[in-house]
Amino acid sequence: MPRFSIILPVFKVQGFLRECLDSVLRQSYRDIEVIAVDDCSPDGCGAILDEYAALDSRLRVLHLPENVGLGRARNAGMPHATGDFLFFLDSDDTLTPGALRAMADRLDETGDPDVLVFDYARTYWWGGTRRNVLAQVLADAAGSTFTVAERPEILDLLMVVWNKVYRREFVAAHGFAFPPGYYEDTPWTFPVLLSAERIATLDRICLDYRQRRQGNILSTTSRKHFDIHDQYTRVFDFVDSRPELASWLPYLHAKMGEHCLDILSKPDRLPPADKAEFFRRTAEMFRARRPAGAVVPPALRVLEGGYPRYAARRQVARGVRELGRRSQRPRRAASVRLARAASAVAGRRSPDPRLVVYSAFSHRGVLGDPGAIYHKALEIAPGWRGVWVVRDEETAALLAPDVERVVLDTPEYRRVTARAGFFVNNVNWPGTLVKRPGTVHIHTHQGTPLKYMGADLLGKPGARLGVDVPQMLRRADRWDHSLVANLHSELVWERAYPCHFRSARTGSPRNDVLVEAPAARIAAARARLGVPEGHTAVLYAPTRREYRRGGHVERLDLARFAADLGPGHTLVVRLHPSLATGPARGLGLSELHRRGVLVDATDEPHVEDVLLASDLLVTDYSALMFDYALLDRPIVLHADDLDAYGASRGLYFDVTAEPPGHVSRSAAELAWLMTSGSWRDEESARLRARFRERFCGFDDGQAAERVVRTLLLGEAARAPVSRVPSPQPAHDDLLASS
């Protein structure tokens, strides 16, 4: 008996079917059967299914003699299912790698619940990807199993059949089946979830929900959308037949109204001539099914009036939105005028030479090089005033109480920036900030450049997608000083940003702590991340890929990699900051962190602490390798897509020819390096020493003080100590770890 019976109804999807089948049959988890139902498809789908079935005995094909529609095609497949769990997959969608393994593990962990709800991402025809906006609901419910009564928020998720798997015996015992017509998922999902005694969630993106440009049934203009009324009638009839579910009637009543109004609001669903009738039938059903004493939410009160009133309100709402769009450009222009006016007023006074304005990572807080400079200025220039620019009130609330801050684009921000004598940032300031005579702008950058930056991106159209390079250079024209950590950086920044700054050979202030590597801070960071005492902490820090829209490419099976490391090792993963809020973490990382398979350190605000806490860095083309080299701990370069990466983004040198350690070209080779112990052999040390000699020359642990004394206080420059910092082991067991 297989673990999963995957029922796949197929109709007019020949352009997507192979991708769907491949995503299922090539899963690492193989204990499945696939029951494909050819719903009398008029294209080549039937032949494709037969071709695949001849090659894989796990796939069986049912060819229906006539077209019956999506719901009844699923029904046709159910009697043939023998698996523990039913999974209804639409044939234009795809499973993500490792999805079935993750589902199986979660089912085992929760003792075979009636229903398992997992996460998904919408993948758009133009290449974009967007994660389910209610993913947090799944994460919050990731403990033990529950009922809908215990976690009613589960009903706020998209009420579809394909983001869940169902225990087959549970489905059979209740006799659940799909009705004909559009919106057939509605009278399935509500009864199923309301009846389930044990529901579990999986906070992992297991399915890519394809958003087709055309051909999607629910986006087809048709009177078939009137089927929604019959489908909700079936839901209400189900609840009426079970008195114990009567308390759910007010919720379902409101849900029906919301769903119908949503259909009515879509421009591509109903023929214009039928919209008034659809509204009337919805309003009639809304009145007839209203439970006694139920309060009508304000947004649904429109159903208590007529269609002309509804249409008028929609017209007004559209007008308001259009006015809002039209007002954006004047608002931006007004913001520029306000900034220039504030600068003009302040221009009558000299800039305050003791007022420093700081920002880091697009106004995210006291971080990076600017943060290190700020703290050093507090120590050796206590009479100076430092003010941080933050992006919003929520970010401001996260700062320590004694940190002075202003929110971007507020009157306080304009007053402070109009008076400041110094500006310190690791990204460009907004274009509205006018550089006044006498002010000094210090740009710290965000690390040593390996991949193309600035003007060099002009020859890489994929990498500069959405980046206005000329505007970037105009903003960089405000720089007075560009901090560099090595001669390579100095040469690259002067080429990539042909502007008016001077290079300052100061080193990277944020890396002072890596040179010093205080034992107490290392211990605190390891404890905060949850690295057990005596474990070897392996940090995996991949960068983003410009050859994939969204930037995320799954280069390693993280669960397999963690297992390959073996006992006594902890895998710590840190995604590139640009991927932290996208779907990347939902593709298994969050779930593996919850299960204790690895540690997700993406949200750790200070990357320096993550570096300090680890004993080995595994990366690809991330600038973190240059910082990590300061610790003189082993580095492994995983470069399995070097050609694609170099072609899309551009590299200033072949990092595999001058690596900071051993290079792996495949997951198998990486696993061998780890299990054999080669990652820390003599050759690894030799490569690292040569790399450190080239890229760590200006970092001597005094960079922040050097910036404060020479660039802020104007003292005579003192060159960095011409030495490569001494090795700093993470903990005493490093050399003995296995």
Side-chain angles (χ1 to χ4, degrees):
M1 179 186 296
R3 192 61 165 154
F4 295 106
S5 292
I6 301 175
I7 297 175
L8 189 74
V10 178
F11 183 74
K12 294 181 68 173
V13 289
Q14 63 179 5
F16 308 107
L17 183 55
R18 291 181 184 276
E19 185 179 359
C20 175
L21 291 170
D22 289 342
S23 78
V24 174
L25 298 174
R26 294 179 182 176
Q27 290 276 313
S28 61
Y29 188 87
R30 299 184 58 79
D31 189 15
I32 65 172
E33 64 178 2
V34 182
I35 302 163
V37 183
D38 173 14
D39 192 15
C40 201
S41 186
D43 56 7
C45 287
I48 293 172
L49 292 174
D50 291 339
E51 172 192 336
Y52 272 74
L55 298 173
D56 196 319
S57 62
R58 296 174 300 164
L59 172 62
R60 287 181 288 162
V61 183
L62 303 178
H63 295 284
L64 300 184
E66 61 179 359
N67 178 252
V68 298
L70 181 58
R72 287 189 286 186
R74 290 169 177 161
N75 291 340
M78 274 197 280
H80 300 271
T82 63
D84 297 330
F85 284 85
L86 302 176
F87 179 14
F88 301 98
L89 177 65
D90 286 354
S91 50
D92 57 349
D93 296 335
T94 54
L95 296 184
T96 61
L100 292 179
R101 166 58 65 186
M103 292 182 202
D105 288 346
R106 182 61 173 153
L107 291 171
D108 291 343
E109 181 183 19
T110 53
D112 283 9
D114 296 328
V115 182
L116 174 68
V117 187
F118 54 81
D119 203 7
Y120 65 92
R122 296 175 187 266
T123 58
Y124 294 88
W125 60 270
W126 41 266
T129 301
R130 182 167 64 88
R131 189 179 185 183
N132 164 30
V133 296
L134 295 178
Q136 190 60 42
V137 172
L138 300 174
D140 292 343
S144 59
T145 59
F146 57 91
T147 64
V148 168
E150 292 166 333
R151 286 191 174 273
E153 62 271 19
I154 201 72
L155 294 178
D156 293 333
L157 297 172
L158 193 62
M159 284 291 99
V160 291
V161 67
W162 43 255
N163 64 347
K164 308 169 185 73
V165 295
Y166 313 86
R167 190 166 58 83
R168 184 168 60 87
E169 292 181 356
F170 162 71
V171 171
H174 287 271
F176 293 126
F178 293 92
Y182 281 14
Y183 305 101
E184 73 291 332
D185 287 6
T186 298
W188 169 282
T189 50
F190 280 117
V192 164
L193 290 177
L194 292 173
S195 302
E197 296 180 2
R198 299 177 65 247
I199 303 171
T201 63
L202 174 60
D203 180 24
R204 184 194 193 279
I205 296 173
C206 295
L207 181 141
D208 285 331
Y209 175 31
R210 189 186 301 274
Q211 306 295 288
R212 293 156 64 179
R213 187 169 184 266
Q214 59 182 10
N216 186 304
I217 293 176
L218 292 185
S219 295
T220 302
T221 303
S222 167
R223 280 187 61 87
K224 289 289 291 178
H225 293 283
F226 279 80
D227 289 353
I228 190 64
H229 302 115
D230 291 337
Q231 307 295 25
Y232 270 101
T233 296
R234 293 183 173 98
V235 174
F236 288 124
D237 289 346
F238 175 86
V239 174
D240 289 343
S241 69
R242 290 161 174 76
E244 69 275 12
L245 299 178
S247 62
W248 288 103
L249 286 172
Y251 173 86
L252 293 170
H253 176 255
K255 199 73 173 179
M256 180 272 293
E258 293 171 0
H259 198 166
C260 291
L261 286 178
D262 181 64
I263 294 169
L264 186 60
S265 69
K266 295 290 193 298
D268 57 354
R269 300 290 172 90
L270 294 161
D274 295 327
K275 290 191 174 185
E277 180 187 351
F278 185 91
F279 179 91
R280 177 180 56 77
R281 288 184 55 180
T282 300
E284 290 173 353
M285 186 174 182
F286 192 74
R287 288 192 295 270
R289 290 289 185 172
R290 180 177 176 181
V295 177
V296 177
L300 298 180
R301 290 174 187 164
V302 67
L303 289 170
E304 297 176 334
Y307 180 73
R309 180 183 175 190
Y310 165 81
R313 290 184 60 176
R314 292 282 302 169
Q315 186 65 31
V316 169
R318 280 194 292 270
V320 170
R321 288 195 298 271
E322 181 61 26
L323 284 174
R325 283 193 292 267
R326 292 181 180 181
S327 67
Q328 288 302 311
R329 184 174 296 176
R331 285 178 185 174
R332 287 192 291 268
S335 178
V336 173
R337 288 196 299 271
L338 280 171
R340 289 175 177 169
S343 179
V345 171
R348 303 184 188 120
R349 297 178 295 174
S350 298
D352 184 344
R354 294 193 169 199
L355 173 57
V356 187
V357 176
Y358 297 91
S359 181
F361 300 107
S362 300
H363 322 301
R364 288 177 44 226
V366 185
L367 302 167
D369 289 314
I373 296 168
Y374 167 77
H375 287 298
K376 184 59 66 174
L378 291 178
E379 176 187 331
I380 62 179
W384 286 49
R385 179 186 174 198
V387 181
W388 281 86
V389 177
V390 293
R391 56 187 174 183
D392 49 37
E393 293 291 351
E394 289 76 14
T395 307
L398 297 175
L399 302 187
D402 59 344
V403 175
E404 188 176 356
R405 80 293 303 269
V406 294
V407 175
L408 183 69
D409 287 336
T410 60
E412 293 79 7
Y413 161 81
R414 285 187 281 271
R415 282 193 290 269
V416 166
T417 54
R419 289 286 295 126
F422 290 88
F423 294 81
V424 181
N425 205 338
N426 64 1
V427 298
N428 267 320
W429 291 97
T432 55
L433 193 152
V434 179
K435 178 174 171 59
R436 296 174 53 214
T439 60
V440 176
H441 283 240
I442 299 171
H443 193 78
T444 71
H445 303 283
Q446 296 181 39
T448 294
L450 171 62
K451 48 220 175 200
Y452 279 10
M453 306 290 287
D456 292 328
L457 292 175
L458 289 171
K460 296 291 180 181
R464 64 179 173 85
L465 179 66
V467 177
D468 186 338
V469 174
Q471 182 187 68
M472 179 193 299
L473 298 182
R474 287 193 294 271
R475 294 180 178 185
D477 278 330
R478 294 173 296 193
W479 303 352
D480 293 286
H481 302 286
S482 165
L483 305 192
V484 297
N486 46 64
L487 290 175
H488 164 77
S489 295
E490 181 174 311
L491 294 173
V492 168
W493 296 138
E494 292 181 4
R495 164 196 166 119
Y497 295 97
C499 302
H500 307 297
F501 59 83
R502 296 179 60 186
S503 295
R505 298 179 178 180
T506 58
S508 297
R510 72 186 184 284
N511 286 340
D512 289 347
V513 68
L514 301 182
V515 177
E516 298 163 358
R521 187 161 176 176
I522 292 174
R526 289 174 69 88
R528 188 167 62 254
L529 292 176
V531 178
E533 186 174 353
H535 269 219
T536 297
V538 179
L539 173 60
Y540 175 54
T543 193
R544 64 177 290 119
R545 263 65 174 175
E546 276 72 19
Y547 61 76
R548 173 72 60 84
R549 185 182 288 272
H552 177 68
V553 177
E554 196 85 352
R555 303 308 312 172
L556 287 178
D557 181 335
L558 295 178
R560 174 67 61 85
F561 185 37
D564 288 342
L565 293 177
H569 295 76
T570 296
L571 177 61
V572 180
V573 178
R574 184 177 179 88
L575 297 180
H576 189 276
S578 67
L579 304 176
T581 58
R585 297 170 83 174
L587 289 167
L589 181 56
S590 296
E591 174 67 7
L592 293 173
H593 174 82
R594 185 193 65 78
R595 290 169 48 202
V597 175
L598 50 75
V599 174
D600 178 7
T602 303
D603 286 337
E604 179 67 32
H606 298 284
V607 68
E608 300 84 15
D609 286 339
V610 181
L611 302 184
L612 286 169
S614 62
D615 303 304
L616 158 70
L617 172 66
V618 178
T619 188
D620 35 46
Y621 323 109
S622 170
L624 284 181
M625 73 177 78
F626 300 98
D627 304 328
Y628 199 79
L630 288 163
L631 295 167
D632 197 25
R633 299 175 193 165
I635 300 172
V636 172
L637 197 70
H638 185 56
D640 63 336
D641 63 342
L642 180 67
D643 291 342
Y645 188 86
S648 61
R649 179 61 193 256
L651 297 172
Y652 286 113
F653 64 95
D654 182 355
V655 68
T656 62
E658 305 173 73
H662 286 298
V663 178
S664 62
R665 303 282 185 171
S666 67
E669 191 173 357
L670 176 61
W672 179 85
L673 282 171
M674 301 307 302
T675 56
S676 67
S678 299
W679 58 273
R680 57 180 184 180
D681 61 12
E682 291 184 2
E683 176 64 8
S684 170
R686 185 189 69 80
L687 293 170
R688 187 166 68 253
R690 188 175 65 179
F691 192 84
R692 294 172 72 233
E693 184 176 359
R694 179 178 179 187
F695 295 109
C696 298
F698 297 164
D699 279 316
D700 60 356
Q702 304 298 315
E705 180 173 354
R706 190 173 295 112
V707 171
V708 173
R709 292 195 181 280
T710 61
L711 302 185
L712 298 185
L713 300 179
E715 298 179 3
R718 291 183 293 176
V721 176
S722 100
R723 65 176 178 83
V724 175
S726 60
Q728 296 287 351
H731 61 284
D732 295 338
D733 298 327
L734 172 60
L735 298 180
S737 61
S738 59

